[in-house]
Amino acid sequence: MKIRGFRIELGEIETVLAQHELVQGAVVVIREESPGDKRLVGYVTLHQDVGDRASRAPALPAGAAARVYGARALL
């Protein structure tokens, strides 16, 4: 897929998200709420036994989100 001139492989982003120790599964889709305004949206499910570990968990690997143009995290 191409977004803003960048070739994006959704499966690669899903793989990086799924590497986080608390993530059970990840899906990335492209949304276009208005014509020409495409955005990546990632959905994750956490392991059921996450508990208090979420506040102590490490972030994604360095640079993982930075490689995606205009990346923003919503929690």
Side-chain angles (χ1 to χ4, degrees):
M1 305 297 302
K2 274 201 162 188
I3 297 179
R4 298 183 189 119
F6 293 92
R7 180 155 175 74
I8 305 294
E9 294 293 336
L10 302 181
E12 290 179 8
I13 298 170
E14 291 170 349
T15 299
V16 171
L17 291 172
Q19 289 174 359
H20 194 283
E21 68 180 62
L22 300 181
V23 174
Q24 179 177 351
V27 174
V28 176
V29 296
I30 295 178
R31 291 189 55 171
E32 188 172 8
E33 293 192 19
S34 60
D37 185 24
K38 294 180 181 178
R39 295 175 185 253
L40 289 174
V41 180
Y43 299 93
V44 297
T45 56
L46 302 179
H47 291 287
Q48 289 183 351
D49 63 341
V50 168
D52 190 43
R53 290 187 303 149
S55 62
R56 298 188 312 266
L60 288 173
R67 291 191 296 258
V68 180
Y69 181 77
R72 277 189 272 179
L74 302 174
L75 300 174

